[in-house]
Amino acid sequence: MATKTDKEEVATPSDPTAAETTDTPDIPDYLKMSAMEHDQAVDQMKQDIEKEVSKQQLVGDLESTSVLKSVYAEDDSVYQAKIQEIEKGFSKIRRIRQDGNCFFRSFGFSLMEQLLANKSEIDKIKPSLEAVKTDLIAMFGYPEMTVEDFYDNFIEVLDKLKEEETDLDYLLKTYQDSGLSDYMVCFMRLIVSAELQRNAEFYINFIGSKYPTIKSFLSEVRYYINT
């Protein structure tokens, strides 16, 4: 029969000093939340981000390229080196609102800025734009009224650019107006959507295995697509 020796000590509930103690790790607050509280916190964070983004101009005024240096830490050698390279080719920049449409808005504005400086080129691109409209309706089944609405507004701005008195101030005001600017963005998205669907066999190789078809990709990333 086993007996307790003088060298052995047995910890009992009545002897708390002998019990082994461990530090309880701090648990992050988000892990303490209920599912509902977590969803509310995420929604609030989204609202805060959207509120902050809404303070940005849709298309900003010209600024010196050097302002980019203050965006990134001085000791971030990679980005600071990239900014130096940008400064070699570009002395000015325009900031675009970071709302998920920045690529389309900046590309559209830059395209029209180039056309404004080369008015004779405006009519040359119109047949391609009309072909996009036709294909979206006839080949891909997009609603005719919707497509023509975006197309007509885009063409209206192009026609305005052809007028002798139209200057950069008009274009800037157009892209800084949320209603007009979003129309330009929507048609730019339609152009990309048409191109991806026209050449689906080619582009399917670049979107990864997550998307079995170009249409599923367009739907997921919220491009304009007829479903």
Side-chain angles (χ1 to χ4, degrees):
M1 179 177 178
T3 59
K4 175 179 173 294
T5 66
D6 292 339
K7 295 183 179 180
E8 293 177 330
E9 293 183 358
V10 177
T12 66
S14 60
D15 185 12
T17 59
E20 182 180 357
T21 61
T22 58
D23 294 331
T24 302
D26 291 334
I27 300 175
D29 289 340
Y30 71 88
L31 291 179
K32 301 176 183 177
M33 296 179 180
S34 67
M36 180 178 294
E37 289 174 331
H38 181 269
D39 290 343
Q40 291 174 342
V42 170
D43 288 341
Q44 183 61 53
M45 181 176 66
K46 289 180 178 178
Q47 291 175 20
D48 292 342
I49 293 174
E50 290 172 357
K51 184 178 180 180
E52 189 64 28
V53 167
S54 68
K55 297 177 183 178
Q56 304 169 358
Q57 283 186 301
L58 290 169
V59 176
D61 298 319
L62 281 175
E63 299 178 80
S64 171
T65 307
S66 63
V67 301
L68 292 174
K69 293 179 180 178
S70 63
V71 177
Y72 302 97
E74 292 183 4
D75 59 355
D76 191 331
S77 59
V78 174
Y79 278 98
Q80 292 296 335
K82 290 180 183 293
I83 293 170
Q84 291 178 7
E85 288 299 313
I86 293 174
E87 286 182 304
K88 293 177 182 179
F90 304 93
S91 61
K92 303 287 184 180
I93 64 167
R94 292 185 189 275
R95 302 196 199 203
I96 306 295
R97 180 181 292 181
Q98 299 168 313
D99 60 356
N101 291 313
C102 52
F103 167 76
F104 295 98
R105 205 180 308 277
S106 60
F107 185 89
F109 180 86
S110 182
L111 171 65
M112 290 190 172
E113 188 177 30
Q114 294 297 316
L115 292 172
L116 183 62
N118 299 276
K119 295 177 184 285
S120 62
E121 298 295 313
I122 294 175
D123 285 335
K124 294 180 182 179
I125 71 169
K126 284 187 176 180
S128 296
L129 300 177
E130 186 172 4
V132 167
K133 180 191 72 170
T134 300
D135 287 353
L136 287 169
I137 297 170
M139 293 178 61
F140 307 124
Y142 284 61
E144 182 175 355
M145 184 178 297
T146 301
V147 174
E148 288 191 343
D149 189 27
F150 291 129
Y151 170 81
D152 289 344
N153 277 273
F154 198 86
I155 294 297
E156 183 178 336
V157 174
L158 288 182
D159 286 339
K160 183 67 177 178
L161 296 182
K162 291 168 57 179
E163 298 178 7
E164 188 64 31
E165 64 274 14
T166 301
D167 56 13
L168 184 60
D169 185 57
Y170 162 79
L171 182 60
L172 192 57
K173 287 181 179 178
T174 297
Y175 269 81
Q176 288 178 339
D177 180 287
S178 60
L180 295 173
S181 189
D182 286 348
Y183 263 95
M184 303 302 104
V185 167
C186 287
F187 191 68
M188 293 301 299
R189 284 182 173 275
L190 286 171
I191 291 174
V192 173
S193 181
E195 171 61 19
L196 291 175
Q197 292 180 86
R198 283 168 171 171
N199 298 285
E201 291 186 3
F202 174 75
Y203 291 113
I204 193 67
N205 299 297
F206 299 93
I207 63 174
S209 58
K210 177 181 177 181
Y211 306 102
T213 65
I214 285 292
K215 283 195 172 185
S216 64
F217 168 73
L218 293 174
S219 178
E220 177 78 12
V221 298
R222 297 184 181 181
Y223 277 80
Y224 287 86
I225 180 170
N226 180 56
T227 55

